[in-house]
Every structure is written in structure tokens, then in C-alpha cells.
Amino acid sequence: MADNTNFIEEIINKDLESGAVSEIITRFPPEPNGYLHIGHAKSLCINFGMKEEYHGKCNLRYDDTNPSKEDVEFVNSIKEDIAWLGFEWDNELYASDYFDRMYECAVGLIKKGLAYVCDYSADEIRNTRGNLTTPGQNSPWRDRSVEENLRLFEEMKDGKYADGEKVLRAKIDMASPNMNMRDPVIYRILREKHHRTGDKWIIYPMYDFAHPLEDAFEGVTHSICTLEFEDHRPLYDWVKYNCGFGDFPKQIEFARLNMTRTIMSKRYLKKLVEEGKVDGWSDPRMPTLSGMRERGYPPEAIRNFCAAAGVSKSNSEVDVAMLEHFVRDYLNVNADRMMVVRNPIKLIVENADRDEVYDIENNPNAEVKTTHKVSFGRELFIDRDDFAPVPPPKYKRLVPGGTVRLKGSYIVEYVSHKCDDDGNVTEVVCRYIPDSIQGGVNCEMKVKGVIQWVNAKDCVDLTLHEFDYLLLDGDGDFNDRLTPDSHTVYPSAKGEAALREVKPYDRFQFMRMGYFSAVRDYGKDGKYEFNMITGLKDRYGK
Ligand code: ATP
Ligand code: MG
């Protein structure tokens, strides 16, 4: 146990042992400007993981201090996705609820001579910041009196100035080796309707000022974020101390999750949605949690994957095969096996003179063994790929003159077949071998292979959706790496009768094909469609 302690737990353990904190409080702080993706799942697993491990608390806090990109649709989807993953937040909070308190903190900084109103434009601020080798230049407005700053800041709030005309800056050090400490802007004027506060505010706090305050107001002890904020930590601490807080909250950074063949940038995901390259944020090909839900990924598998990916201080890229490995690992034990044919052709069993019904085992790997009924008769369907009039080398299915076992049923031997004018096989005729069912006297007969089948009499017409990764392998601009045709539809598949009864999001292994999930409106208005979750072959660790 102790050897598996990650660096975040080490910090927390020390803080508990020293008595610096008595209860661990974390938060998950999404900006409601898009849907959550698999990277967010990692952050969720860490923040809620700490809550669970230390019997503490974890808040869901919407970081909604930037009004221009935020939306209620995103607020709702975020909640739905976190609940789906199986996490429970202690409080649902909004950074925008703290706008009054943040304003007071800014006034407090002005009174201490630690913030000033600056008339520079965004360009002028950028041009006077200096760079890594040259210090910045002090703003000509840096030494305004406290009284003047208080008056101007209030006027900013009251709408006396145009957007961008003035900003409030922290007065720190224009020569600091850390660029973030060179008098950063902490408030700006922005006339934009906010999804919660409406038109009440026309000045909004900047992230680096707002975030430590949000954490501090809530009594968060450990503010866990991604590595790109490491350079912002001195500013985080500056705000925290100068606004009257102590050593906590403490910011801790970890490496974000990156995954091969996957886009993790909300900005780019949004672009895919807006340009219609995918069917919305919940398209099964999207790396969003809602996309993965539609695709049929079990939330347990996502959590297992995040746990295995671990917590680290250095950036790396995880193979998407690892995520799929955990999906398969879960489904192997939890998904019932069913028979489906993707591209059906008729198989006539000419000596079958009556229907039979078998109990087929649902899942050989399940802890509790169950069965379901499958019917056999004279007219069946098999997959076009499972009969070859002229077999290629090493072909192990039905061929002229050959035999094959029908999964869970008889061995059948070829009799004849018919083709259409183009030479496509339309029908195969065979005979079943009596007593060749498991346990029968002929059941040990050698056959080339085992194939799945369905009974034409009671099978259900299915549409299957199969997917490729959104991105091609490699690096470079996402725009040049979009996989062409990443969605394939099989509109005339046929499934065994039991599939008529399943519920939306039920997951199965279709034998010899892969794992599939019933779509969200399965069974409604005759819609019998499945999304492919993942194939059967595991390339992880190979
Ligand atoms: P994006 O750059 O995709 O917009 P973000 O970091 O701006 O992502 P937020 O909604 O602000 O997204 O993030 C909420 C939380 O999730 C933050 O604490 C953030 O650090 C974390 N997070 C976002 N992406 C990842 C990732 N790929 N791996 C781990 N954590 C992430
Ligand atoms: Mg962000």
C-alpha cells in the first residue's frame, strides 16, 4: 500500500500528520464552455479519489468567470457526466456567486497599495512586459494614489469606461523572472451577458486572481491542477496571502492526460461540432464522456483506466489501446454473448424438419452463469464472409465439400450454393449431422471452424454502427489528421431473437465480431441499432 503512494498523497499525508489540516477538501473546477472529455475524467478521478480516500469533501465548482464562452447546456452536461462516472460532489458551486467577494478582495488590494488601475491597452501591456531576458517597464499609472485607484476601479464597475479602456493590475514586480508576476491584469471590463449573473457585472476577474480566491472561500485544502499552472503558483500564493489567507489552499500540479489518436482540446472538439464533422458533442467517436457513454464504454472501465494511468509530474502520451484494454477487460466479464451476422446470406438446412430451442450460456467468464434461448430451424442466416465458394489459403469456415460447426448447435456439411448474375452467393444449402450437438455421439467430429448464425424465422433486423479513431496516427495539425470515413454503417445485419428485448445502453459481445452497445433510443419506433464499443483483439502491451 505505502509503496503505491503517489506524490499528491505524499503531500496530503504530510499536511495531515503535521496537523496543518484536519479534513481534506478538493474541488473539480470545469469551465462550462464545452463537454467533459477523457482528460477531465483523470482530474475527476484524482479529486474525487482524494475525497474518498481521506473521507473528505470534493466540490463541483463551475469556473464561470469568463462570460463569453459559457452556456447552460454545458453546465448540465458536466453534471450528467460526473454522475455517470459514479462520483458524488458535496456542493455544487459557481465562481460567479463570489463576484461580490472577489470585488471586495480587489478593493482590499488597492487599499494596501497592491493593485492599480492601468490605462494601457492589451497591446501596450504586452509590449511593455519584457521577455525572459529583459525586464518589463513600469506602467506610467503604477503610482496612482490609493484614492484615485479606488475611484477609478469603482467607475470601471459602474460602466464609465469602454471595454478594454482600463484594467486593474496587481502591483508586484515588472522585473520578476516569472512573467506571470509582472503586474498581471486581475480585472477587465467586458460588456457581455453572463449565463448566471446576466448584466449585473461589466467587470470580470481574471483566472489567476479568481481561482485562488474561489479555493480559499470554499476552504479547499489542496487545489489540484495540471502542470501548465506550475508557473502560476507564485501568483496563486501571492493572491492568497495578500487577500488574507494562510498556507492553504495549496496548489499541486500533475501531468495532464494525453492519448494517441485523440484530441483533448475543448477548442478543437468544439470546432468539430460546429463544422459538422461529427454528430454533436456526444457522437460515439468523440473522446467526450458523453460520446463514450453513447459508444458503450462502461464508466467502471474509464475509472480503472485512470487509476492504472497513474499520477505523474511529467507529460507523456498514453496509448489509446490501454483505454480499450480496460474496456474489454470489464466487458469480458460483464457482457453477455449474442449471435449477430453483419452481412447475411441464407443458409438452408435441408434435412431440418422441425424447430429446436437451445439454452445458450450467456457468458463463460461471468461469476454467476446464466443462459438464454436460441431457436434453430430450416432457414438460417450466416455471414457472407463465413462461406467461400473458392476459399483463400487457411480459410477456416464453410467451403464447398466442407463442414463447419454452427455455434451452440449442429455441425453442418455443404450441399450446394446459388449465385446471382454477378456471381455473388445468394444462398447456401447444407445438411446437419445428427447427434453432433455438444454431448451427442458425433460431437467430436473434426470441423474447420465455428461460425455464428441466426434463425430467419425469429431474428431481428439490426443496423450496426462501427467506428474508427477520429484522428490518424502521427503528430501535426489536427485538421490534417482527421480520419476519412470514420463511421461505417451496416444497415442489414440480423441478430438473434433475444436482442429484440434489450434496453438502451445494454452491452454485448457479438460473437467473433466485437463488443456492441444498444443505442440510446433502442427499440423505439422499430429502431434496433447498436454502436460498436471496441473489437475483440487487444493490442495493448503487445
Ligand atoms: P481544455 O484545454 O480542453 O479547455 P481546460 O483545462 O481548460 O481544458 P477545464 O474545464 O478548465 O478544462 O478543466 C477542468 C479541470 O480538468 C481542470 O482542473 C483541468 O486542469 C482538468 N483537465 C483538463 N484537461 C485535462 C487533461 N487532459 N488531463 C487531466 N486533467 C485535465
Ligand atoms: Mg480552460
Side-chain angles (χ1 to χ4, degrees):
M1 183 73 200
D3 334 329
N4 291 332
T5 313
N6 66 45
F7 73 94
I8 297 177
E9 292 164 326
E10 274 169 21
I11 294 172
I12 292 178
N13 289 342
K14 270 201 199 117
D15 290 336
L16 284 170
E17 280 157 26
S18 73
V21 292
S22 54
E23 187 188 24
I24 300 306
I25 304 180
T26 58
R27 86 288 172 261
F28 177 70
E31 202 181 327
N33 61 352
Y35 280 56
L36 298 183
H37 52 60
I38 181 76
H40 291 116
K42 176 152 186 186
S43 175
L44 284 162
C45 287
I46 296 173
N47 281 298
F48 282 92
M50 294 305 108
K51 163 195 158 123
E52 287 168 7
E53 185 176 340
Y54 293 98
H55 306 287
K57 291 199 176 83
C58 181
N59 293 335
L60 166 58
R61 184 213 306 142
Y62 291 101
D63 209 336
D64 59 351
T65 53
N66 181 3
S68 50
K69 294 182 257 151
E70 295 158 3
D71 206 304
V72 191
E73 176 196 352
F74 300 136
V75 168
N76 293 334
S77 75
I78 288 170
K79 262 186 270 193
E80 192 179 343
D81 292 344
I82 298 175
W84 176 68
L85 271 188
F87 293 121
E88 281 177 46
W89 51 90
D90 290 273
N91 301 290
E92 177 187 330
L93 303 164
Y94 293 81
S96 54
D97 287 346
Y98 309 134
F99 281 161
D100 287 290
R101 285 174 82 182
M102 289 176 186
Y103 180 81
E104 287 313 314
C105 287
V107 168
L109 288 180
I110 294 174
K111 286 183 179 161
K112 287 188 190 174
L114 292 174
Y116 61 97
V117 173
C118 178
D119 298 4
Y120 268 161
S121 66
D123 278 343
E124 286 166 321
I125 290 178
R126 199 173 317 116
N127 295 337
T128 52
R129 256 181 107 206
N131 55 36
L132 289 176
T133 50
T134 329
Q137 300 148 30
N138 283 352
S139 156
W141 292 283
R142 201 172 197 262
D143 295 316
R144 273 175 165 150
S145 68
V146 168
E147 290 67 34
E148 189 182 5
N149 279 319
L150 287 173
R151 179 176 54 82
L152 292 173
F153 187 48
E154 190 167 359
E155 287 174 356
M156 281 170 61
K157 170 174 75 86
D158 292 341
K160 196 160 172 203
Y161 305 108
D163 288 14
E165 196 179 329
K166 289 188 180 351
V167 291
L168 185 70
R169 296 175 74 176
K171 192 173 181 175
I172 310 179
D173 178 7
M174 288 306 289
S176 170
N178 184 329
M179 299 289 287
N180 295 309
M181 300 298 270
R182 295 187 184 174
D183 290 11
V185 173
I186 58 178
Y187 259 94
R188 62 181 166 157
I189 306 171
L190 188 65
R191 283 174 177 78
E192 190 94 52
K193 206 182 185 74
H194 187 278
H195 76 106
R196 295 188 90 231
T197 59
D199 295 322
K200 179 174 175 199
W201 291 91
I202 63 162
I203 56 170
Y204 290 97
M206 303 300 286
Y207 181 89
D208 280 338
F209 177 66
H211 206 84
L213 292 178
E214 294 157 23
D215 287 341
F217 294 157
E218 290 170 18
V220 165
T221 54
H222 297 85
S223 176
I224 302 167
C225 64
T226 44
L227 228 44
E228 69 274 18
F229 290 102
E230 198 166 17
D231 284 348
H232 297 242
R233 194 185 336 134
L235 180 53
Y236 183 99
D237 288 338
W238 186 94
V239 171
K240 175 177 82 173
Y241 290 125
N242 287 302
C243 290
F245 298 94
D247 291 339
F248 294 87
K250 190 184 259 187
Q251 177 178 301
I252 308 175
E253 309 88 12
F254 71 97
R256 53 171 61 223
L257 175 74
N258 299 304
M259 207 158 63
T260 56
R261 310 199 66 173
T262 309
I263 307 161
M264 221 84 89
S265 143
K266 255 188 276 177
R267 200 163 51 89
Y268 191 75
L269 293 175
K270 197 179 192 125
K271 195 164 163 245
L272 288 177
V273 172
E274 281 167 0
E275 289 177 1
K277 299 264 168 50
V278 292
D279 184 15
W281 287 93
S282 306
D283 183 300
R285 291 166 293 177
M286 289 283 269
T288 52
L289 295 180
S290 62
M292 291 186 174
R293 177 164 64 239
E294 293 309 310
R295 178 89 177 240
Y297 279 25
E300 296 86 349
I302 294 175
R303 290 175 64 158
N304 293 342
F305 160 74
C306 288
V311 185
S312 132
K313 264 279 188 201
S314 54
N315 280 310
S316 61
E317 194 176 50
V318 170
D319 191 337
V320 64
M322 177 173 170
L323 172 60
E324 290 167 0
H325 167 80
F326 282 95
V327 170
R328 251 178 233 114
D329 203 46
Y330 181 87
L331 293 174
N332 185 32
V333 181
N334 291 287
D336 286 351
R337 276 55 171 167
M338 289 278 166
M339 293 198 285
V340 169
V341 295
R342 201 182 259 127
N343 293 308
I345 50 168
K346 269 251 164 87
L347 179 74
I348 308 293
V349 189
E350 62 173 21
N351 59 339
D353 46 11
R354 65 195 149 80
D355 291 349
E356 296 179 14
V357 175
Y358 318 122
D359 288 313
I360 292 212
E361 188 173 49
N362 281 327
N363 184 347
N365 299 321
E367 271 175 34
V368 181
K369 301 275 188 287
T370 53
T371 60
H372 72 276
K373 304 237 179 270
V374 173
S375 80
F376 173 86
R378 188 183 151 81
E379 280 193 22
L380 311 178
F381 287 108
I382 60 170
D383 200 276
R384 178 168 297 282
D385 286 345
D386 287 337
F387 172 72
V390 183
K394 295 192 185 154
Y395 187 80
K396 291 231 171 60
R397 299 163 245 176
L398 190 59
V399 297
T403 55
V404 75
R405 175 177 291 284
L406 300 177
K407 176 80 194 171
S409 176
Y410 295 103
I411 294 168
V412 293
E413 64 180 338
Y414 171 91
V415 173
S416 65
H417 72 272
K418 288 186 198 148
C419 293
D420 63 15
D421 294 343
D422 299 326
N424 298 313
V425 176
T426 52
E427 189 179 293
V428 181
V429 179
C430 67
R431 297 177 63 82
Y432 78 88
I433 303 198
D435 289 321
S436 62
I437 287 189
Q438 231 26 262
V441 290
N442 292 322
C443 88
E444 299 295 341
M445 233 180 99
K446 270 238 161 17
V447 285
K448 277 247 170 118
V450 183
I451 64 174
Q452 79 274 25
W453 53 279
V454 299
N455 188 343
K457 216 178 197 173
D458 63 7
C459 65
V460 46
D461 291 332
L462 299 178
T463 298
L464 305 182
H465 300 270
E466 301 192 9
F467 307 100
D468 197 348
Y469 302 109
L470 266 183
L471 288 190
L472 297 167
D473 230 337
D475 2 78
D477 194 327
F478 292 149
N479 292 292
D480 308 328
R481 284 172 60 201
L482 220 49
T483 308
D485 308 321
S486 50
H487 178 186
T488 311
V489 183
Y490 295 92
S492 38
K494 293 187 184 289
E496 58 174 284
L499 289 172
R500 203 170 268 116
E501 305 309 324
V502 313
K503 295 189 297 301
Y505 298 117
D506 278 354
R507 307 181 188 99
F508 300 95
Q509 183 192 106
F510 292 166
M511 286 177 208
R512 301 177 62 230
M513 293 172 61
Y515 292 100
F516 286 79
S517 170
V519 295
R520 75 165 89 178
D521 44 0
Y522 190 88
K524 226 164 128 191
D525 305 322
K527 184 167 176 175
Y528 293 101
E529 302 188 11
F530 281 89
N531 288 328
M532 185 169 191
I533 307 170
T534 185
L536 295 175
K537 263 221 188 85
D538 200 331
R539 6 171 232 105
Y540 178 59
K542 305 256 153 66

